[in-house]
Amino acid sequence: MKTIDCKGLSCLAPILNTKEAIENEDLGELCVMVDNGASKENVSRFLSSQGYDVIVYKEGTNFNIIGKRKQSIYQKFHLKEVIRPRKGSLW
């Protein structure tokens, strides 16, 4: 699991660092460490909006935000495509 240390950063920096890591490394799981409530909320919301399940826990004065990418049914069963019935057909 990749760890992104954003302690001491404020405003958009933790979100931008997280976004860059997700885009460049296609992360399935990651931990983002922040030290303020605003960053905790913003990074959590961002990860949720990108399809991650999010768990936050406090460690001392810091917050660890764990994100795990949700699996779609296609990913879970390693499917590349789904065959859908045509309108009006029985199958």
Side-chain angles (χ1 to χ4, degrees):
M1 176 180 352
K2 169 126 179 139
T3 300
I4 304 167
D5 186 352
C6 294
K7 296 187 299 268
L9 302 178
S10 59
C11 203
L12 291 177
I15 294 172
L16 294 175
N17 289 351
T18 303
K19 182 178 188 281
E20 181 181 352
I22 289 171
E23 289 176 350
N24 293 336
E25 300 179 43
D26 191 31
L27 299 172
E29 292 183 4
L30 71 155
C31 174
V32 183
M33 299 186 304
V34 298
D35 59 0
N36 64 74
S39 292
K40 173 192 73 139
E41 293 299 322
N42 291 336
V43 171
S44 297
R45 274 195 305 269
F46 172 73
L47 286 173
S48 291
S49 76
Q50 298 301 303
Y52 284 80
D53 287 321
V54 177
I55 297 172
V56 178
Y57 66 92
K58 190 168 184 175
E59 190 174 294
T61 60
N62 300 318
F63 298 97
N64 293 322
I65 306 157
I66 308 296
K68 183 172 182 180
R69 189 182 306 269
K70 296 176 185 177
Q71 279 191 331
S72 71
I73 191 76
Y74 307 107
Q75 293 167 326
K76 186 173 183 176
F77 293 104
H78 307 287
L79 301 174
K80 293 183 180 177
E81 65 177 303
V82 174
I83 299 171
R84 299 183 190 276
R86 285 179 275 149
K87 282 188 175 181
S89 71
L90 296 176
W91 168 202

